[in-house]
Amino acid sequence: MPVRQFGALQLEVDNEGYLVNPKDWTPEVAEAFAKEEGIELTDRHWEVINFVRKYYEERGQSPTIRQITVGAGIPTKELFKLFPGGPAKKVARIAGVPKPAGCI
Amino acid sequence: MAKTLLVLGGGTAGTMAANRLAQELDMDQWRIIVVDHSKIHYYQPGFLFIPFGIYKERDVVKPRRTYFAPGVEFILSEIDVIEPDKKRVRIKADGGRYISYDFLIIATGTSPRPDQTPGLQDERLWYKDAFDFYTLQGAVRLARRLRTWEGGRLVLNIVDMPIKCPVAPLEFIFLADWYLRENGLRDKTELVFVTPLPGAFTKPRAAAILGHMLEERGIHLVTDYYIERVDPERKVIVSYDEREEPFDLLVSIPLNMGSDAIARSGIGNELNYVPTDPRTLRAKDFEDVFVLGDATDVPTSKAGSVAHFMVDSFVPNFLRYIDGLELLPTFDGHANCYIESGFGKGILIDFNYDVEPLPGKFPLPGLGPFSLLQESVINHWGKMLFRTLYWHVLMKGRRLPMPAQMMMAGKWS
Ligand SMILES: Cc1cc2nc3c(=O)[nH]c(=O)nc-3n(C[C@H](O)[C@H](O)[C@H](O)COP(=O)(O)OP(=O)(O)OC[C@H]3O[C@@H](n4cnc5c(N)ncnc54)[C@H](O)[C@@H]3O)c2cc1C
């Protein structure tokens, strides 16, 4: 597995750049990943990130778009503005949880 | 006193479970009651073939009542509210009454909800230039529309995942490609497959192979597309990030949601699926309640084949449970799907919670082997044969000659 440097931290990431171990995550990791996605994190982004981390801790699964919008009370339109492209997979990476499996 | 096993939903999973248990339980000691609001049992996989004139309506409908084993009582009624704390269910028939149970099976499935996408059911469009084929009516109306098709832009859009039979949209587009070629309309038709997924399918290996099959056939693939609304005036679909796809004919796979009865009872998630233990299939929040088929939230495909594997692992477990033994974690998420790829061919994919679809051969004793993930003519016949197996073997509570757990025999990893 590739290793990435975050300040003094060295963390394992997978081939798509997701943290291998969600427990490794720190807010600095979020800042670094967000920057790579061209996203400047605001309070509203943090609301979503914290929701996603909590969801993962409780259920062991990364949430889908619908689970984020319903669970965190964020309109879908806004979620797409906050995390353009694919909000569920982008916020998962920034929040240090696995890429959503996508329902099969 | 006799114990009551109440089964909610008499579709694929409910019928199989009720009929199998009617053979296993001592029917002097047990009552098995099935409640369903529809008189007709639909063979849903057959809906796929209707738009192309391969199946007719009569091929996919049977009276539900005739499919229950002797001893199984059937009640035709809407299920109103499930009250697991009181171990009873209110039904709407007879002015509303309660049925008490000792054990409950929830098998109310999932259904397409076109009302959840603004503009889709606009009267200028719906069943004129916009259709679903996940209902019999939609499939029949779409067949009629395709007969007068003269070419243009045909867009297939999946509103959101999960959907039942996640490969059906791909099969539809492959069959459309075949059908249009047969009718000399393929070069006048642009085929576009618009999906919320990052590729043609979720599981990476299958996505790569299926993506290649789309490309080979000149079908455009639009990914990460999350539809917000349909504009009936301009005949375009619009995504949340404002990407537009114009269409002459829209084939929609509407949002799939579990039964409203689950929502009314407050026991489901955001899509009305019941939180279920993925290995034992017991409801996470309630003892004596099991959930089978599409109604669960377990992370495997919503498919008839899965419902069948679920029932296979549920039945022996249930017989342990009523004797006071603990449940065994026997369900492994096993799913397999024949994918129709047109021109009389098909491919088969087979996977579970842990194993991705693998290339190889699927061993079905006496019937196969069917090639996994590679097109072959025998896979197509597998799919056509399955309708016969469905009505005459599975729904009658008989068993297919294969184990419920996924077999690694015959697969190359
Ligand atoms: C177009 C299409 C193609 C498909 N192709 C395949 C395929 O190739 N292979 C495959 O394995 N699967 C396929 N499937 C999926 C398969 O049909 C379903 O996964 C399967 O039927 C699920 O069984 P179930 O018992 O969970 O739900 P269902 O069979 O849908 O049964 C649910 C039952 O509950 C009843 N019900 C729901 N709510 C209430 C209520 N409130 N009151 C009373 N009754 C209620 C309904 O009337 C229904 O009879 C396909 C589905 C479609 C739509």
Side-chain angles (χ1 to χ4, degrees):
Chain A
M1 293 275 179
V3 170
R4 288 219 18 201
Q5 190 84 28
F6 299 91
L9 284 177
Q10 284 204 339
L11 303 180
E12 261 187 321
V13 295
D14 67 14
N15 294 332
E16 294 180 292
Y18 286 74
L19 280 193
V20 172
N21 187 351
K23 291 213 175 70
D24 287 347
W25 182 88
T26 66
E28 289 71 51
V29 173
E31 296 285 355
F33 281 163
K35 205 162 177 187
E36 285 173 21
E37 303 279 359
I39 296 170
E40 178 105 29
L41 295 182
T42 64
D43 289 353
R44 201 66 173 157
H45 289 96
W46 279 106
E47 256 179 63
V48 181
I49 294 168
N50 292 332
F51 171 81
V52 168
R53 285 200 61 81
K54 191 159 148 269
Y55 190 98
Y56 181 79
E57 270 160 34
E58 287 170 6
R59 316 201 191 194
Q61 266 176 31
S62 304
T64 61
I65 291 176
R66 189 171 303 272
Q67 283 158 349
I68 298 172
T69 55
V70 173
I74 305 249
T76 313
K77 195 99 187 168
E78 185 183 350
L79 188 65
F80 271 86
K81 292 233 162 75
L82 292 171
F83 301 95
K89 56 184 185 185
K90 285 209 173 145
V91 70
R93 179 159 176 264
I94 294 170
V97 301
K99 186 173 174 177
C103 310
I104 335 153
Chain B
M1 217 180 81
K3 290 213 159 90
T4 301
L5 169 67
L6 178 59
V7 182
L8 302 181
T12 310
T15 302
M16 273 191 290
N19 289 351
R20 288 273 292 280
L21 285 170
Q23 296 167 21
E24 300 283 346
L25 295 170
D26 175 358
M27 292 305 281
D28 293 332
Q29 304 292 322
W30 284 83
R31 282 182 79 186
I32 302 180
I33 305 172
V34 180
V35 185
D36 200 296
H37 56 193
S38 149
K39 278 189 185 142
I40 295 170
H41 188 145
Y42 297 100
Y43 176 61
Q44 300 176 46
F47 294 173
L48 172 70
F49 299 104
I50 287 178
F52 310 106
I54 302 170
Y55 279 176
K56 296 269 180 291
E57 185 168 341
R58 62 166 181 274
D59 297 320
V60 300
V61 296
K62 303 262 182 187
R64 192 179 302 280
R65 223 175 254 284
T66 55
Y67 277 86
F68 297 111
V72 174
E73 297 166 50
F74 176 61
I75 297 176
L76 181 68
S77 172
E78 173 79 17
I79 298 148
D80 193 2
V81 186
I82 305 162
E83 299 179 0
D85 298 333
K86 301 197 173 118
K87 297 189 79 166
R88 64 180 195 180
V89 171
R90 194 168 73 216
I91 63 170
K92 287 197 178 164
D94 312 325
R97 65 177 169 102
Y98 286 99
I99 306 174
S100 295
Y101 62 78
D102 296 285
F103 299 94
L104 183 71
I105 295 175
I106 300 177
T108 40
T110 183
S111 54
R113 297 288 297 266
D115 57 303
Q116 298 288 313
T117 300
L120 182 55
Q121 284 189 305
D122 188 283
E123 59 181 26
R124 285 166 287 180
L125 268 187
W126 191 237
Y127 290 172
K128 294 188 178 82
D129 290 318
F131 300 84
D132 74 306
F133 66 92
Y134 268 47
T135 59
L136 178 60
Q137 201 196 3
V140 167
R141 300 294 291 262
L142 178 53
R144 213 179 291 165
R145 177 71 182 85
L146 280 176
R147 286 216 303 260
T148 59
W149 177 251
E150 289 174 346
R153 199 164 199 263
L154 192 164
V155 171
L156 182 142
N157 172 243
I158 302 169
V159 168
D160 199 0
M161 301 298 285
I163 55 174
K164 56 181 152 185
C165 199
V167 295
L170 281 164
E171 295 181 282
F172 180 90
I173 209 89
F174 291 145
L175 285 171
D177 170 74
W178 158 80
Y179 174 90
L180 294 166
R181 278 179 214 276
E182 295 282 297
N183 291 288
L185 288 160
R186 184 63 183 93
D187 51 0
K188 297 191 192 99
T189 307
E190 195 183 346
L191 287 176
V192 193
F193 190 83
V194 183
T195 170
L197 295 172
F201 199 61
T202 43
K203 303 259 167 180
R205 253 197 262 191
I209 293 174
L210 293 164
H212 177 73
M213 287 173 64
L214 289 175
E215 209 176 293
E216 263 178 356
R217 290 163 170 76
I219 299 163
H220 304 293
L221 175 64
V222 178
T223 58
D224 291 310
Y225 188 97
Y226 207 66
I227 189 176
E228 180 183 13
R229 63 194 162 88
V230 182
D231 182 338
E233 189 73 44
R234 294 165 50 231
K235 287 176 76 176
V236 295
I237 56 173
V238 185
S239 70
Y240 278 102
D241 51 2
E242 268 137 53
R243 284 182 285 157
E244 295 193 344
E245 291 292 336
F247 62 84
D248 296 298
L249 178 55
L250 175 65
V251 177
S252 173
I253 317 297
L255 183 66
N256 281 203
M257 290 177 81
S259 174
D260 285 335
I262 305 296
R264 284 193 290 269
S265 313
I267 59 170
N269 68 9
E270 68 289 341
L271 287 170
N272 303 346
Y273 298 125
V274 184
T276 305
D277 183 287
R279 302 275 172 182
T280 65
L281 304 174
R282 189 172 65 172
K284 281 184 178 161
D285 301 332
F286 310 104
E287 284 189 7
D288 304 337
V289 178
F290 292 85
V291 196
L292 300 176
D294 295 347
T296 77
D297 73 337
V298 304
T300 186
S301 287
K302 297 192 180 301
S305 64
V306 177
H308 162 228
F309 295 128
M310 283 177 167
V311 170
D312 272 358
S313 69
F314 161 75
V315 167
N317 238 346
F318 183 72
L319 297 174
R320 290 174 59 86
Y321 191 67
I322 57 177
D323 284 342
L325 301 173
E326 90 281 21
L327 294 167
L328 299 175
T330 46
F331 183 64
D332 66 354
H334 188 188
N336 67 40
C337 274
Y338 298 96
I339 307 181
E340 270 299 309
S341 49
F343 302 97
K345 287 185 172 183
I347 59 180
L348 178 67
I349 61 175
D350 190 45
F351 55 93
N352 68 16
Y353 289 142
D354 307 313
V355 180
E356 252 201 67
L358 301 174
K361 296 242 184 229
F362 180 75
L364 186 57
L367 293 173
F370 301 94
S371 319
L372 302 172
L373 277 177
Q374 269 171 328
E375 286 180 271
S376 77
V377 172
I378 193 161
N379 283 338
H380 166 76
W381 286 109
K383 182 132 196 166
M384 295 320 229
L385 179 73
F386 200 75
R387 184 171 63 111
T388 310
L389 290 178
Y390 184 89
W391 292 124
H392 298 292
V393 180
L394 294 176
M395 288 310 116
K396 294 281 166 82
R398 300 192 186 112
R399 309 193 48 179
L400 274 187
M402 60 178 161
Q405 282 87 5
M406 189 168 158
M407 284 177 283
M408 286 302 285
K411 255 164 258 184
W412 343 310
S413 50

